[in-house]
Amino acid sequence: MMDLTFDLPEVRGRLTPNRDLCDLTWLRVGGPADYLFQPADLQDLQEFLRDLPADVEVFPMGVGSNLIVRDGGLRAVVIRLGRGFNAIEVEGDTVTAGAAALDGHVARKAAEAGVDLTFLRTIPGSIGGAVRMNAGCYGAYVADVFVSAQVVLRDGSVKTLTAEDLQFEYRQTDLPEGAVLVSATLRGPAGAPEALAARMEEQLRKRDESQPTKERSAGSTFRNPAGFSSTGKADDVMDLKAWKVIDNAGLRGATLGGAQMSEKHSNFMINTGGATAADLEQLGENVRKKVYADSGIWLKWEIMRIGDPKRV
């Protein structure tokens, strides 16, 4: 636990000390955060960040779909947005969604209004995380449809960020330190609702055929190798994927404790039951080393890893 030589701000939402995070991540691992704050609304979040001492670390957390929390937990106040931050509004060709709105819900509501954000349908997680990670698939990325985002800065002020502010790159953005993203506005091309719905159903079918969607995973474990990263840029190519170099190194199905590289999709790491965060992270590091020995390629983690190892 952090050394509390100060009083925590009064809140209208829920502030829980020593909150285990394992049940809030898709991999179901991880130790406790010093505090978990679930703000009641935007004002509650602003006032909390404004009044929290500036040297106390905050970590905005979505639905935990792309996250390993280490077994020793996290010395920070984790901020998790919920009701009050999940509204979805469509106006013309623009969609404004709260950061807690699920990617799939945004895609469906946009499609019903004739706006094509279908690439979001199969991306696990919420819009806040999708913007932060510049999520994408099928050759489309958040950067392609991004208009603006609202964030609450560490001093409690609200700021609107543009694409220039965020400097989108493959699976990353430049969010200000300590900022909490609360909503995003996206603009998509027009499409017939029936055709968009059919496309999303086909995408879901293909995903379920090729990915271990019924297992405890966190999506893609590693980014595609540099230079083959599906960024959509004119000089980019997509003919080398992380799963391919993992397969070439003979690591499909590799295990460590309760952690496994999926037999169905070798770039998906799964908790087969009883895995610790240490199992998962060490398996990933073993894969990175063996892939490098086999191909000379250092894979970069796509899953975010945070917190402290468990003390022995």
Side-chain angles (χ1 to χ4, degrees):
M1 293 286 289
M2 64 177 68
D3 180 20
L4 293 180
T5 56
F6 55 86
D7 292 327
L8 286 165
E10 293 291 327
V11 300
R12 289 179 289 107
R14 181 179 299 175
L15 184 61
T16 308
N18 202 35
R19 174 61 160 84
D20 273 327
L21 300 176
C22 57
D23 63 321
L24 300 181
T25 71
W26 284 28
L27 282 166
R28 293 294 188 267
V29 296
D34 286 341
Y35 283 89
L36 175 69
F37 177 44
Q38 298 162 281
D41 52 32
L42 179 60
Q43 183 181 359
D44 195 28
L45 175 60
Q46 287 181 263
E47 292 173 352
F48 179 82
L49 289 175
R50 180 196 66 199
D51 297 338
L52 189 69
D55 60 347
V56 176
E57 185 177 349
V58 298
F59 178 78
M61 179 177 175
V63 295
S65 59
N66 188 42
L67 187 66
I68 292 175
V69 179
R70 296 187 177 106
D71 301 304
L74 187 60
R75 308 286 72 78
V77 176
V78 171
I79 297 175
R80 194 168 195 257
L81 306 182
R83 290 183 181 179
F85 296 90
N86 60 356
I88 304 169
E89 298 177 359
V90 184
E91 185 173 346
D93 62 353
T94 64
V95 179
T96 299
L102 296 178
D103 300 332
H105 291 175
V106 174
R108 287 205 308 267
K109 192 153 186 177
E112 289 167 3
V115 179
D116 184 359
L117 297 177
T118 53
F119 76 96
L120 289 170
R121 182 64 184 91
T122 59
I123 297 175
S126 57
I127 286 296
V131 171
R132 182 178 183 180
M133 294 292 292
N134 189 19
C137 61
Y138 304 113
Y141 292 80
V142 167
D144 301 328
V145 297
F146 181 82
V147 176
S148 64
Q150 270 203 324
V151 298
V152 180
L153 299 178
R154 192 61 178 77
D155 63 3
S157 62
V158 175
K159 184 176 182 180
T160 299
L161 300 180
T162 65
E164 185 177 359
D165 294 322
L166 289 178
Q167 293 292 303
F168 284 103
E169 293 183 33
Y170 177 56
R171 296 294 187 262
Q172 67 185 58
T173 52
D174 284 340
L175 268 178
E177 187 71 26
V180 180
L181 195 149
V182 293
S183 70
T185 299
L186 311 174
R187 177 178 290 117
E194 298 82 3
L196 298 178
R199 182 187 304 167
M200 290 188 294
E201 284 301 312
E202 177 64 10
Q203 290 170 350
L204 287 171
R205 184 187 66 77
K206 288 183 177 179
R207 181 197 67 179
D208 291 344
E209 285 179 355
S210 63
Q211 299 176 8
T213 54
K214 301 195 184 306
E215 306 283 353
R216 292 179 182 175
S217 83
S220 295
T221 305
F222 302 108
R223 303 177 183 186
N224 289 326
F228 305 90
S229 52
S230 320
T231 58
K233 294 179 180 178
D235 60 348
D236 198 16
V237 293
M238 296 187 292
D239 56 1
L240 185 60
K241 300 295 183 90
W243 70 261
K244 179 62 174 171
V245 294
I246 294 170
D247 274 7
N248 290 348
L251 295 168
R252 182 177 290 261
T255 62
L256 179 68
Q260 181 183 37
M261 304 308 294
S262 170
E263 292 277 8
K264 192 169 188 178
H265 190 309
S266 56
N267 194 30
F268 277 64
M269 180 185 291
I270 60 177
N271 180 354
T272 63
T276 63
D279 290 339
L280 293 159
E281 189 168 16
Q282 187 58 57
L283 176 60
E285 287 301 315
N286 292 349
V287 168
R288 292 182 70 237
K289 290 173 185 175
K290 289 179 181 178
V291 165
Y292 180 75
D294 182 72
S295 66
I297 293 172
W298 275 115
L299 291 174
K300 291 186 177 180
W301 283 89
E302 185 164 323
I303 296 174
M304 182 179 292
R305 294 150 298 130
I306 60 170
D308 301 325
K310 189 173 185 178
R311 292 180 181 175
V312 179

